[in-house]
Amino acid sequence: MKYATEFRDPKAAKAVLARIAELADEIGATRAKPVHIMEICGGHTHAIFRYGLDKLVHDGIEFIHGPGCPVCVLPMSRVDECVEIALRPGVIFTTFGDAMRVPGTKMSLMQAKAAGADIRMVYSPLDALELARRNPDRQVVFFGLGFETTTPSTALSIQQAAREGLENFSVFCNHITVPEPIRALLDDPHMVLDGFVGPGHVSMVIGTHPYDFIARDYGKPIVVAGFEPLDLLQSVLMVLIQIRDGRAEVENQYARVVPEHGNPVSLAAIADVYEKRPSFEWRGLGEIDHSGLRIRAKYRAYDAEETFGIGYAAGPRFVAEPEGCACGQVMTGRIKPTACTQFGSGCTPEMPLGALMVSSEGACAAYWQYGGARATEATE
């Protein structure tokens, strides 16, 4: 497969791994005193485990799993609000499949569907828009969820609904942004981070400059990375080179996909439809200033929070994590999934306590699916 096979070449990977080992030795990285590199994106976490990269790199390299899984960082109160909307008469609630099994305080969307709610999995907000056209007597709500990667498609759908004058379509907006939680982590005195592997898909939309503060203000290197094994290994190598040289810069390993200034069409749609919320709650991080997006007043007719009087429109609502759930600590890189006492026993993909075990980008799901002996050991 052109452009994929080349980035999975074992011979090339061995060469990069050897160079990583040389540099790790050169800067004095050891198992006891490792270099801590946070991969921000949950997709990167899964790629690291799928290809066993965490076991192939030098013992002095430790991957810290970051908050780059939008389903995982969603607080339980927002899941409860999804269920509340979905259970209302006359509503068709649409969502990506990733969110169906995320538990709320009483039930998940999957359980609400079993209880009679009309909840439908879609692949795009445009599918929800089509449902609204076909069901003019029903309120069709799309669960707008994700980082800057998925935000443009929701924005474009709202613009299209406005052009058509659809009055039965709205979005429950839970779109969030990457830079703000990274700043919150860097401000945490308990976090030990030496560098970052930056998100590829998000950067395809926003470009590389939104990460400038990481290098400028905190002196940490960051390398935007692709998702193949050689992408990630090369990015780790680039971070190590910066550390060795005493540099802190934003570099772009994924230049074949990520433009420096992002995608102007996507950015224009986001700017037209959304504005920053004063703050937004993140699982494990609490309220973070200006880290979430809300629908602008001119598109208020398509804002489900306004339509149904829930969410921040009704005032923020805090819901505590279930007893024993360590999602917040895992999501912020404080512990590994296997350090959670519930991993593999009280929390499994079939009966999850938290979102990290069921999301396709969740760290716990990666350990469960690809962890092998590591996952087995945790349940013994």
Side-chain angles (χ1 to χ4, degrees), residues 18 49 76-77 84 123 148 223 234 254 266 274 299 364 379-380:
F49 275 80
M76 292 185 75
S77 60
E84 182 183 334
Y123 292 100
E148 293 93 337
V223 178
Q234 184 184 13
Y254 205 26
S266 295
Y274 296 109
Y299 293 108
C364 296
T379 61
E380 292 178 349

Side-chain angles (χ1 to χ4, degrees), residues 149-300:
T149 312
T150 56
T151 304
S153 61
T154 312
L156 290 166
S157 298
I158 290 173
Q159 289 176 329
Q160 183 62 32
R163 282 192 291 269
E164 295 181 24
L166 281 175
E167 297 180 354
N168 65 324
F169 173 78
S170 62
V171 172
F172 182 43
C173 182
N174 289 269
H175 287 298
I176 47 180
T177 54
V178 166
E180 287 77 12
I182 302 308
R183 185 183 291 277
L185 287 173
L186 286 166
D187 285 336
D188 184 343
H190 301 292
M191 289 298 297
V192 179
L193 298 171
D194 300 301
F196 292 88
V197 171
H201 294 148
V202 164
S203 304
M204 179 177 65
V205 174
I206 67 173
T208 60
H209 287 297
Y211 312 119
D212 287 346
F213 75 95
I214 296 173
R216 181 190 64 239
D217 301 341
Y218 295 93
K220 307 294 183 184
I222 176 170
V223 178
V224 174
F227 294 85
E228 297 296 334
L230 277 167
D231 285 323
L232 286 160
L233 291 175
Q234 184 184 13
S235 299
V236 169
L237 178 60
M238 292 168 72
V239 169
L240 293 178
I241 290 172
Q242 287 199 49
I243 292 173
R244 181 202 62 186
D245 295 345
R247 295 184 290 116
E249 299 174 8
V250 180
E251 294 184 324
N252 185 8
Q253 183 276 337
Y254 205 26
R256 68 185 187 276
V257 171
V258 174
E260 178 184 357
H261 298 288
N263 184 313
V265 175
S266 295
L267 291 172
I270 293 171
D272 178 53
V273 174
Y274 296 109
E275 62 186 4
K276 288 288 187 79
R277 296 180 187 266
S279 70
F280 193 78
E281 184 187 352
W282 292 60
R283 182 175 238 153
L285 287 166
E287 293 278 342
I288 300 178
D289 291 346
H290 311 300
S291 63
L293 300 178
R294 65 185 180 191
I295 297 170
R296 290 186 183 274
K298 69 177 180 177
Y299 293 108
R300 183 172 293 158

Side-chain angles (χ1 to χ4, degrees), residues 96 122-130 142 150 153-155 157 169 171:
F96 296 135
V122 295
Y123 292 100
S124 162
L126 293 175
D127 295 337
L129 206 60
E130 181 60 25
F142 175 70
T150 56
S153 61
T154 312
S157 298
F169 173 78
V171 172

